[in-house]
């Protein structure tokens, strides 16, 4: 009887130990995916329709409206933040892998992952003209970002995967006159060995930071670069100096792929649907140190 009681006691002790270890691991996992929440406030959220489950880019077009693209279809999806709905779909090409979008005056630009740039002149009229341009980037670069920079008078883009060297990710200008980048001479560099990226450093250095979108603050000209794979937001000043890194929590930012600013400097970040619904957040950042 005593031996039986001993076995029962040991069995209960093992179950308790397993439960405690499991509970500890769950707590650690939950803490990890929530890490970063103290960096910002989400002021408002828009849950997107299924057509934008794969939202990969967006740009502010005025009047509380965004032009969005998604990975597969060559369409501009005009999304009204006030009505919380797609107001219009504007085809510009067939199937593809569309990742970045930018606006300059009346012309829209869309970047494909292989570096092919679509130019949609007079995008919001019936006489729009669509043309394509080889920018000099390749499949291996995996281009997912595009923004217009008034300071540079050019489009900006940055490789998600491989650059010419693994120790940096270059931000490159694409002049609107040529639509072609000098892929050997970045305008700005994000050094993978930067102190602010130390805690994110990967054994394969180029995987330390894999940008999914770029945007330029309309007032400060600071350059914002977001990563979707391991959600984080980098901010560089107008000279390209890395100012700070924000960790983004994986609950609200399961896969941030799009980013844009309103004219007033309000920051919007979009997420693809990951085990849920695609979304757009209006984000208010808190002051942090790198």
């Amino acid at each position: 009887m005593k031996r039986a009681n001993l076995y029962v006691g040991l069995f209960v002790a093992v179950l308790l130990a397993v439960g405690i270890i499991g509970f500890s691991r769950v707590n650690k996992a939950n803490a990890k995916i929530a890490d970063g929440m103290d960096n910002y406030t989400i002021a408002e959220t828009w849950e997107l329709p299924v057509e934008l489950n794969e939202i990969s880019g967006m740009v502010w077009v005025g009047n509380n409206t965004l032009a969005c693209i998604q990975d597969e279809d060559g369409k501009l999806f005009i999304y009204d933040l006030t009505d919380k709905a797609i107001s219009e779909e504007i085809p510009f090409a067939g199937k593809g892998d569309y990742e970045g979008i930018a606006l300059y005056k009346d012309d829209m630009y869309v970047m494909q992952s292989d570096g092919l740039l679509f130019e949609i002149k007079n995008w919001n009229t019936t006489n729009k003209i669509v043309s394509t341009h080889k920018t000099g980037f390749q499949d291996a670069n995996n281009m997912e970002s595009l923004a217009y920079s008034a300071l540079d008078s050019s489009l900006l883009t940055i490789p998600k995967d491989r650059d010419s060297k693994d120790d940096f990710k270059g931000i490159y200008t694409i002049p609107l006159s040529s639509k072609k980048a000098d892929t050997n001479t970045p305008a700005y560099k994000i050094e993978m060995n930067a102190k602010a990226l130390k805690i994110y450093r990967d054994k394969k250095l180029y995987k330390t930071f894999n940008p999914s979108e770029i945007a330029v603050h309309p007032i400060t000209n600071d350059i914002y670069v977001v990563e979707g794979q391991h959600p984080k937001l980098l901010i560089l000043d107008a000279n390209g100096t890395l100012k700070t890194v924000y960790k983004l929590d994986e609950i609200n930012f399961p896969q941030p792929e799009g980013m844009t600013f309103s004219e007033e400097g309000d920051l919007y970040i979009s997420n693809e649907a990951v085990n849920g619904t695609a979304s757009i957040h209006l984000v208010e950042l808190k002051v942090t140190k790198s």
Side-chain angles (χ1 to χ4, degrees), residues 197-209:
L197 290 172
K198 184 177 180 179
I199 62 173
Y200 306 107
R201 197 159 299 143
D202 195 276
K203 291 181 180 178
K204 294 183 178 179
L205 200 55
Y206 76 93
K207 290 187 176 182
T208 298
F209 182 58

Side-chain angles (χ1 to χ4, degrees), residues 48 50-60 66-79 86 88 90-93 96-102 108-113 116-118 120 123 143-146 212-213 257-259 270-272 278 280:
L48 300 176
V50 294
E51 293 92 335
L52 288 173
N53 274 355
E54 300 295 320
I55 185 170
S56 54
M58 60 182 181
V59 66
W60 185 268
L66 303 168
C68 307
I69 53 170
Q70 48 104 309
D71 286 352
E72 300 175 350
D73 296 326
K75 294 180 180 179
L76 303 177
F77 294 85
I78 311 305
Y79 187 80
I86 296 172
E88 190 177 4
I90 304 173
F92 65 88
D97 186 11
Y98 306 104
E99 297 289 350
I101 184 170
M108 198 76 73
Y109 296 88
V110 176
M111 177 71 84
Q112 201 163 248
S113 61
L116 187 65
L117 182 69
F118 288 77
I120 311 163
W123 72 273
M143 308 305 295
E144 290 200 355
S145 56
L146 196 67
S212 58
E213 189 56 288
E257 297 281 346
M259 180 169 56
S270 65
N271 294 276
E272 291 190 4
I280 296 173

Side-chain angles (χ1 to χ4, degrees), residues 7-283:
Y7 288 153
V8 170
L10 287 172
F11 180 69
V12 171
V14 169
L15 286 179
L16 286 172
V18 169
I20 290 169
I21 292 170
F23 183 74
S24 175
R25 287 178 177 174
V26 168
N27 277 349
K28 286 181 180 178
N30 287 340
K32 184 177 180 181
I33 63 174
D35 186 27
M37 284 185 171
D38 57 344
N39 289 330
Y40 42 79
T41 300
I42 296 176
E44 194 168 355
T45 296
W46 292 262
E47 293 189 351
L48 300 176
V50 294
E51 293 92 335
L52 288 173
N53 274 355
E54 300 295 320
I55 185 170
S56 54
M58 60 182 181
V59 66
W60 185 268
V61 295
N63 298 319
N64 226 29
T65 302
L66 303 168
C68 307
I69 53 170
Q70 48 104 309
D71 286 352
E72 300 175 350
D73 296 326
K75 294 180 180 179
L76 303 177
F77 294 85
I78 311 305
Y79 187 80
D80 190 307
L81 294 170
T82 303
D83 294 339
K84 300 182 178 181
I86 296 172
S87 61
E88 190 177 4
E89 295 183 16
I90 304 173
F92 65 88
K95 294 288 184 179
D97 186 11
Y98 306 104
E99 297 289 350
I101 184 170
L103 176 67
Y104 175 66
K105 294 185 177 180
D106 297 323
D107 304 331
M108 198 76 73
Y109 296 88
V110 176
M111 177 71 84
Q112 201 163 248
S113 61
D114 61 2
L116 187 65
L117 182 69
F118 288 77
E119 179 182 22
I120 311 163
K121 295 191 74 65
N122 302 311
W123 72 273
N124 202 23
T125 66
T126 56
N127 63 334
K128 59 182 175 293
I129 300 171
V130 180
S131 56
T132 58
H133 310 273
K134 293 183 178 180
T135 58
F137 295 103
Q138 308 295 328
D139 284 318
N141 300 124
N142 195 7
M143 308 305 295
E144 290 200 355
S145 56
L146 196 67
Y148 178 74
S149 168
L151 192 64
D152 297 281
S153 300
S154 297
L155 300 173
L156 297 182
T157 190
I158 179 172
K160 178 181 180 181
D161 291 339
R162 307 306 287 261
D163 208 320
S164 57
K165 292 184 179 179
D166 286 351
D167 60 352
F168 70 86
K169 293 289 171 68
I171 298 176
Y172 296 85
T173 57
I174 303 176
L176 295 179
S177 54
S178 65
K179 318 296 190 306
K180 189 173 179 63
D182 181 352
T183 57
N184 294 313
T185 310
Y188 314 100
K189 285 184 180 181
I190 299 174
E191 302 289 348
M192 297 296 96
N193 282 313
K195 181 180 178 181
L197 290 172
K198 184 177 180 179
I199 62 173
Y200 306 107
R201 197 159 299 143
D202 195 276
K203 291 181 180 178
K204 294 183 178 179
L205 200 55
Y206 76 93
K207 290 187 176 182
T208 298
F209 182 58
N210 299 100
S212 58
E213 189 56 288
I214 189 170
V216 180
H217 195 288
I219 299 169
T220 66
N221 287 311
D222 283 351
I223 301 169
Y224 286 55
V225 190
V226 73
E227 176 181 354
Q229 190 171 343
H230 302 289
K232 64 180 75 72
L233 174 65
L234 273 64
I235 302 178
L236 297 80
D237 67 20
N239 296 313
T241 301
L242 181 57
K243 292 172 60 176
T244 190
V245 179
Y246 286 88
K247 174 77 170 64
L248 301 178
D249 77 271
E250 296 178 31
I251 298 172
N252 292 298
F253 298 96
Q255 192 170 337
E257 297 281 346
M259 180 169 56
T260 192
F261 287 98
S262 69
E263 297 99 330
E264 294 80 19
D266 296 323
L267 174 62
Y268 295 84
I269 299 177
S270 65
N271 294 276
E272 291 190 4
V274 179
N275 301 321
T277 305
S279 63
I280 296 173
H281 297 312
L282 172 58
V283 182

